[in-house]
Amino acid sequence: MRTAFLLAVFAIGGVLAGTVVDPAVLDACPGYSASNVKVEGGTLTASLKLAGKACNVFGTDIAALQLEVVYETTNRIHVKITDPTSARYEVPDSVLPRPSSAQPVSPSSAAIQFNYTASPFTFSILRSRTSEVLFSTKSHPIIYEPQYLRVKTSLPSNANIYGLGEHTNNFRLDPDNTTLTLWSRDAYGVPTGTNLYGNHPVYIEHRNTGTHAVFLLNSNGMDIKLTEGALEYNVIGGILDFYFLAGSETDPTEAARQYAEIVGTPAEVPYWSFGLHQCRFGYQNYIDVAGVISNYSAAGIPLETMWTDISLYLEPDYFPLTRMREIVDYLHSHDQRFILMTDPAVGYFPNSSYGPFDRGSADGVFLKNANGSDHLGLVWAGVSVWPDWFNDNAQDYWTTEFSIFYNKDTGLDIDGSWIDMFCDIPCTDPFQQAINQDLPPARTTAPPPPDAPIFGNPAPRKRDLLVPQYSINNAAPGGNLSSKTAYSSLSFSPMSSNAPSRYGTTMSVATHLAMLARRPGLRTLVITRSTFAGAGKHVGKWLGDNFSDWDHYKNSIAGMLGMATIYQVPMVGADICGYAEDTTEILCARWAMLGAFYPFMRNHNADTSISQEFYRWPLTTQAAKNALDMRYRLLDYFYTAFHQANQTGSPVVSPLWFKYPKDTNTYPIDVQWFYGDSILVSPVTEENSTSVSIYLPNDIFYDFPHSDARVQDFEFVVAPGVDGTASGQLYVDDGVSIEQSAETEVEMSFVGKTLKVTGSFGFETGVNTARVRFLGVSKAPGSILLNGQAVARQGVSYNQATQVLDVSVGLPLTKGFTVTLV
Ligand SMILES: *[C@@H]1O[C@H](CO)[C@@H](O)[C@H](O)[C@H]1NC(C)=O
Ligand SMILES: *[C@@H]1O[C@H](CO)[C@@H](O)[C@H](O)[C@H]1NC(C)=O
Ligand SMILES: *[C@@H]1O[C@H](CO)[C@@H](O)[C@H](O)[C@H]1NC(C)=O
Ligand SMILES: *[C@@H]1O[C@H](CO)[C@@H](O)[C@H](O)[C@H]1NC(C)=O
Ligand SMILES: *[C@@H]1O[C@H](CO)[C@@H](O)[C@H](O)[C@H]1NC(C)=O
Ligand SMILES: *[C@@H]1O[C@H](CO)[C@@H](O)[C@H](O)[C@H]1NC(C)=O
Ligand SMILES: *[C@@H]1O[C@H](CO)[C@@H](O)[C@H](O)[C@H]1NC(C)=O
Ligand SMILES: *[C@@H]1O[C@H](CO)[C@@H](O)[C@H](O)[C@H]1NC(C)=O
Ligand SMILES: CC(=O)N[C@H]1CO[C@H](CO)[C@@H](O)[C@@H]1O
């Protein structure tokens, strides 16, 4: 296990010498006392003075601090403790724009209260209605030194704490013995108990009495320790900048929404991006890439987006631009997409004319050493320089480079972007290291002839990539939403230093804007690995370089829940079938099914692993087809959830306790989850198992109905809960535009035997509502009324064994309707 101050050792140059500090030493520090307290409406300020002899544990205790407390909304208190005498690092607004500062609210109207004792200074956050203490520094003095900050709160015993990522621990953190280190790093194999790519210093704590959240806005390296009955922050710089969120006494999703009010709600992504993505590092050449596309098609597995890795840049002989452009054109003419990796490194070619380097040098955008020379590092491409995203010219530079390199007429017309950074090699002598490591790598095989036929075998059938029943690509402007299906139900269906922490996020913003500039007005997809709080406003996230093994398969669910439910980065998924090492037919088949219920569904692996496209094995092919059938049928349902996430911050996937907050059995569960609001997913998690034991909260759950007849139009599924009612929503738009000129927003509610479908129907879907399926109907109704008129016998089918009642509707989705079971 990592010692608590390992990072601090790096940061302050060995002062700690690796000492593990006795908590009693920290608790014996003097803390501060508050004076000059001023309260004005929803704002409190005070001076904090060191209350005794300095303990100087990791530096010199700062003698005088400034406290500012603001009741920013009825649900949010901002507590900021700064050192007025020195400029300490604060996360800039460009990395995380602060919520707009409206007038502070009156404490008497707030759901939580800030309370304090003056000497020694301690503070607590209480729920206003019940005076329940949510956070309290009592008996744990605050320590504030140049490179060490410590705040410790007591917790209830056996507390339910979620978040504080990125990590590969269980979703519910062990409250008695956990140390989480937040500091971005490339974490090959994503080992448990170590820091990973992302930094999200926020947690949601769930209790039987309610759910609240705490966000420490600080991007310095930190260790957060959960020990029996306490949570302790140990931060190596910056300021104490806390946001306390009341959440709710009854609805955990409120805590998620209130966090989104600070960091922003997630960007909406294009409709097509919910389709299947295929990628690998190490496609051999352009023929290989075309072969994957053809073979998916031949296997009848609907591939939406083909991705390629960095090989394209490194090896133009193997991936000639003209042939790659042909592949991209082919994809686009088949309503498919293309995504390519973009790294921030720019090849260092000071002596030859290389546009990206020359333009960046002219604009002065590259990171510099202290003496003003270019900061050189080493990545796959060789010795390189990096844009400094805080440079005023960096955005224009990046936008220009995107418009040149990804020019649709002369370059590769990408549909989305995949960004990453490879910065983990200590670059003391990058030129020599490049020679030692043979970078760029040399190939042992010759490149293929530049004019080999592609898409010829199997013969390309026009549009054959889009197996019609899976058609999801058709939501482009002017396109046709011809195969919309939607499901909506209430109850559920069991089935199956700062710089590294911020570099990824600032690059994400620059890339998102550069992509938007290429296709003005249209949404895009940017996927990255390194994220800081607020990243979801710009990018989605893949969970990094995991292994093709069953533990990683299972852990990916906790990883997804952290990102999507807590950190507001909902476009998330792990590398399906595993990135490193060799997968197996059975693991890849299971993972295809699991991955169909990640928000972001991408099969991806390493150059050293065996090929793992779903069509490589019969079992995996079938599993992928079944799972994609389900996923594509639920696409509008999930798209609706995503739209709501953008509007309100409500999570698109969530743990069971979000829906059943009083059911203590659900608190530790992280192998089952809700996909959207209503679909409970419980995958098989053991190798060679064909069944799984699952936990069902006390409610009514239905098997998700298999589709018997192919439904091209919308289909609504009504699945009443224990109270006999159900409700749901459907959101439809053109799938790609940022500003929508027409939207359809439908509310369904089933109460007392009547389904009412109401809403606004601005977007012309051009399709009908084919039918409504009622689940859990124990006997055939005497008659069924559609808009008050009896439905003819042939329009109704009832299956006693499955208790499913199908009612044909056949109305265009241009106005509401009612169906009554009499
Ligand atoms: C607030 O703190 C004061 C001590 O400063 C204490 O007397 C009081 O009970 C606290 N209020 C609540 C609601 O805990
Ligand atoms: C705490 O966790 C560490 C690392 O997992 C483990 O080595 C240690 O034994 C645990 N301590 C206790 C008291 O469980
Ligand atoms: C989503 O929400 C944000 C506000 O958080 C907004 O700026 C953005 O434009 C919205 N729409 C899309 C398409 O991302
Ligand atoms: C595609 O399938 C053909 C025929 O089975 C096979 O020869 C080829 O190797 C496959 N290519 C790829 C990239 O899967
Ligand atoms: C560029 O040219 C100078 C002068 O010939 C030489 O010293 C330097 O090593 C060259 N730099 C690189 C990166 O090739
Ligand atoms: C500038 O600093 C870098 C990094 O410390 C060093 O490698 C380089 O030699 C220096 N250049 C000069 C001209 O001193
Ligand atoms: C969309 O599909 C409908 C029904 O199949 C068809 O009548 C219509 O012409 C199509 N519209 C476009 C733009 O292709
Ligand atoms: C699953 O089955 C395979 C093949 O029989 C076997 O090699 C493997 O050990 C089994 N795994 C487990 C966890 O039993
Ligand atoms: C199976 C799996 O996805 N494992 C891990 C992959 O990597 C991320 C971290 O980057 C983890 O969250 C996943 O659990």
Side-chain angles (χ1 to χ4, degrees):
M1 176 188 148
R2 233 161 218 280
T3 57
F5 301 108
L6 200 53
L7 283 166
V9 175
F10 296 142
I12 62 179
V15 174
L16 298 177
T19 336
V20 176
V21 177
D22 179 355
V25 171
L26 301 180
D27 281 343
C29 282
Y32 291 81
S33 60
S35 58
N36 198 17
V37 180
K38 294 201 183 93
V39 180
E40 234 185 270
T43 303
L44 177 152
T45 56
S47 307
L48 302 180
K49 300 251 174 332
L50 200 61
K53 185 172 174 301
C55 62
N56 296 346
V57 262
F58 303 121
T60 311
D61 288 353
I62 291 164
L65 301 170
Q66 184 64 29
L67 167 72
E68 186 188 58
V69 179
V70 181
Y71 286 73
E72 293 187 337
T73 72
T74 53
N75 291 310
R76 181 170 80 227
I77 297 178
H78 186 185
V79 175
K80 201 167 165 179
I81 302 179
T82 51
D83 170 3
T85 61
S86 79
R88 295 175 66 103
Y89 182 79
E90 294 186 34
V91 176
D93 244 40
S94 59
V95 174
L96 188 85
R98 305 303 192 271
S100 53
S101 50
Q103 276 299 101
V105 302
S106 149
S108 63
S109 68
I112 47 176
Q113 300 292 318
F114 174 87
N115 197 18
Y116 72 98
T117 58
S119 190
F121 171 71
T122 67
F123 73 91
S124 56
I125 301 291
L126 315 167
R127 230 180 241 300
S128 309
R129 197 182 70 82
T130 56
S131 293
E132 181 182 8
V133 177
L134 306 181
F135 192 98
S136 167
T137 67
K138 193 164 174 236
S139 60
H140 303 298
I142 289 170
I143 303 175
Y144 210 113
E145 297 175 351
Q147 288 178 310
Y148 181 68
L149 301 172
R150 182 255 207 174
V151 171
K152 186 170 182 176
T153 173
S154 350
L155 293 177
S157 67
N158 205 20
N160 302 296
I161 305 279
Y162 307 83
L164 303 174
E166 182 178 2
H167 55 68
T168 39
N169 295 44
N170 291 339
F171 184 52
R172 176 179 179 268
L173 296 166
D174 174 354
D176 296 335
N177 182 23
T178 298
T179 298
L180 296 163
T181 300
L182 272 62
W183 184 247
S184 292
R185 68 174 196 121
D186 193 345
Y188 182 75
V190 292
T192 303
T194 67
N195 50 315
L196 298 178
Y197 317 95
N199 295 275
H200 298 273
V202 57
Y203 70 83
I204 292 184
E205 182 185 345
H206 179 62
R207 303 180 185 180
N208 230 341
T209 51
T211 315
H212 65 277
V214 177
F215 175 40
L216 171 58
L217 176 47
N218 185 309
S219 63
N220 285 267
M222 65 181 84
D223 282 339
I224 301 160
K225 296 165 66 170
L226 286 164
T227 49
E228 284 155 55
L231 182 152
E232 181 183 60
Y233 296 91
N234 298 267
V235 191
I236 62 171
I239 62 163
L240 293 175
D241 197 356
F242 280 103
Y243 289 91
F244 295 96
L245 308 176
S248 153
E249 290 179 56
T250 52
D251 179 6
T253 62
E254 274 303 316
R257 290 191 196 106
Q258 289 164 19
Y259 180 57
E261 286 174 14
I262 307 174
V263 298
T265 61
E268 288 191 80
V269 291
Y271 190 77
W272 60 260
S273 65
F274 294 111
L276 169 65
H277 302 261
Q278 175 62 50
C279 183
R280 91 168 284 183
F281 175 39
Y283 281 125
Q284 290 303 302
N285 50 48
Y286 71 95
I287 303 170
D288 201 19
V289 174
V292 169
I293 297 165
S294 298
N295 288 0
Y296 261 105
S297 166
I301 303 171
L303 175 66
E304 181 72 27
T305 306
M306 186 69 203
W307 296 44
T308 58
D309 210 306
I310 52 177
S311 324
L312 230 73
Y313 306 107
L314 296 178
E315 305 178 309
D317 293 348
Y318 295 79
F319 301 90
L321 180 63
T322 50
R323 304 312 306 275
M324 287 308 300
R325 278 177 50 79
E326 193 182 329
I327 290 175
V328 175
D329 284 350
Y330 179 88
L331 288 167
H332 287 166
S333 69
H334 290 75
D335 275 343
Q336 290 169 296
R337 323 280 159 175
F338 177 68
I339 289 180
L340 169 62
M341 174 173 273
T342 307
D343 280 345
V346 175
Y348 178 67
F349 300 118
N351 295 341
S352 46
S353 153
Y354 175 56
F357 178 78
D358 296 344
R359 287 185 289 270
S361 294
D363 289 349
V365 300
F366 297 125
L367 287 169
K368 299 282 187 294
N369 292 317
N371 62 17
S373 65
D374 283 327
H375 176 76
L376 304 182
L378 180 64
V379 291
W380 307 86
V383 177
S384 302
V385 291
W386 276 265
D388 171 2
W389 303 112
F390 291 96
N391 185 295
D392 287 344
N393 296 329
Q395 182 66 56
D396 282 350
Y397 167 71
W398 202 238
T399 301
T400 303
E401 294 308 314
F402 265 62
S403 70
I404 295 171
F405 193 78
Y406 298 124
N407 183 298
K408 70 179 170 50
D409 300 317
T410 56
L412 293 169
D413 189 14
I414 53 173
D415 297 285
S417 190
W418 177 23
I419 58 179
D420 203 2
M421 60 185 288
F422 300 98
C423 219
D424 54 342
I425 306 168
C427 286
T428 44
D429 185 355
F431 292 100
Q432 186 54 43
Q433 280 165 304
I435 296 164
N436 297 347
Q437 297 191 22
D438 187 21
L439 287 174
R443 284 277 199 113
T444 51
T445 52
D451 55 355
I454 54 175
F455 302 122
N457 187 16
R461 285 167 290 144
K462 194 66 184 153
R463 302 195 61 82
D464 68 349
L465 297 170
L466 244 194
V467 180
Q469 57 268 39
Y470 297 111
S471 172
I472 66 152
N473 312 289
N474 43 12
N480 205 335
L481 296 171
S482 60
S483 68
K484 290 269 183 186
T485 63
Y487 293 85
S488 183
S489 51
L490 182 68
S491 283
F492 321 109
S493 155
M495 52 186 190
S496 11
S497 138
N498 289 293
S501 294
R502 291 175 291 118
Y503 195 89
T505 294
T506 49
M507 179 179 176
S508 299
V509 177
T511 304
H512 187 211
L513 297 177
M515 288 298 288
L516 294 179
R518 286 182 68 245
R519 295 181 182 174
L522 299 188
R523 296 176 201 162
T524 188
L525 178 72
V526 180
I527 294 289
T528 189
R529 168 156 65 164
S530 171
T531 53
F532 182 65
K537 265 177 84 170
H538 299 282
V539 291
K541 147 102 189 164
W542 97 99
L543 289 172
D545 295 347
N546 52 27
F547 289 122
S548 296
D549 72 33
W550 289 86
D551 280 346
H552 280 206
Y553 161 93
K554 197 157 83 179
N555 292 344
S556 70
I557 303 167
M560 165 186 73
L561 289 173
M563 284 293 155
T565 312
I566 313 286
Y567 314 136
Q568 293 287 338
V569 187
M571 192 61 177
V572 60
D575 284 350
I576 293 171
C577 304
Y579 176 77
E581 304 188 330
D582 290 342
T583 195
T584 63
E585 178 172 14
I586 179 88
L587 176 60
C588 200
R590 284 287 177 215
W591 216 325
M593 295 190 277
L594 170 63
F597 299 95
Y598 294 151
F600 171 59
M601 184 185 187
R602 186 183 69 161
N603 178 329
H604 177 43
N605 71 329
D607 56 342
T608 48
S609 310
I610 59 168
S611 295
Q612 65 179 30
E613 290 81 13
F614 292 141
Y615 59 76
R616 300 273 175 185
W617 306 267
L619 184 71
T620 311
T621 301
Q622 195 53 52
K625 284 167 122 168
N626 293 351
L628 282 162
D629 176 56
M630 191 94 81
R631 180 178 176 92
Y632 287 2
R633 287 164 66 208
L634 289 166
L635 214 60
D636 293 283
Y637 157 84
F638 198 65
Y639 188 72
T640 299
F642 228 87
H643 176 68
Q644 288 167 344
N646 179 262
Q647 304 291 299
T648 69
S650 59
V652 300
V653 294
S654 45
L656 270 56
W657 57 268
F658 261 54
K659 305 275 172 214
Y660 300 95
K662 300 286 181 206
D663 181 345
T664 55
N665 294 323
T666 61
Y667 301 172
I669 294 177
D670 60 8
V671 289
Q672 300 177 246
W673 71 99
F674 281 101
Y675 179 76
D677 205 38
S678 311
I679 303 286
L680 174 63
V681 185
S682 310
V684 167
T685 50
E686 302 299 329
E687 184 174 16
N688 304 335
S689 273
T690 53
S691 64
V692 57
S693 297
I694 63 171
Y695 181 72
L696 290 181
N698 185 18
D699 204 333
I700 299 179
F701 289 81
Y702 304 90
D703 272 330
F704 187 78
H706 289 284
S707 79
D708 31 32
R710 171 55 52 200
V711 182
Q712 293 290 325
D713 291 339
F714 287 104
E715 173 177 287
F716 298 151
V717 177
V718 180
V722 272
D723 63 357
T725 72
S727 66
Q729 294 85 36
L730 170 66
Y731 172 78
V732 191
D733 62 16
D734 75 7
V736 287
S737 300
I738 292 170
E739 299 293 339
Q740 294 289 341
S741 54
E743 295 164 299
T744 283
E745 294 192 75
V746 184
E747 289 287 330
M748 305 101 168
S749 112
F750 180 70
V751 179
K753 302 279 178 210
T754 295
L755 170 71
K756 281 205 176 89
V757 176
T758 56
S760 61
F761 301 85
F763 185 79
E764 287 259 357
T765 62
V767 297
N768 291 342
T769 301
R771 69 178 176 194
V772 178
R773 307 196 101 176
F774 294 89
L775 307 186
V777 179
S778 56
K779 67 180 201 329
S783 68
I784 294 161
L785 308 178
L786 173 62
N787 287 335
Q789 305 286 312
V791 177
R793 183 171 297 273
Q794 63 270 28
V796 177
S797 84
Y798 176 68
N799 183 327
Q800 180 69 59
T802 59
Q803 305 206 333
V804 175
L805 173 73
D806 284 343
V807 179
S808 293
V809 175
L811 296 172
L813 198 68
T814 51
K815 57 180 195 302
F817 61 88
T818 61
V819 179
T820 306
L821 313 183
V822 185

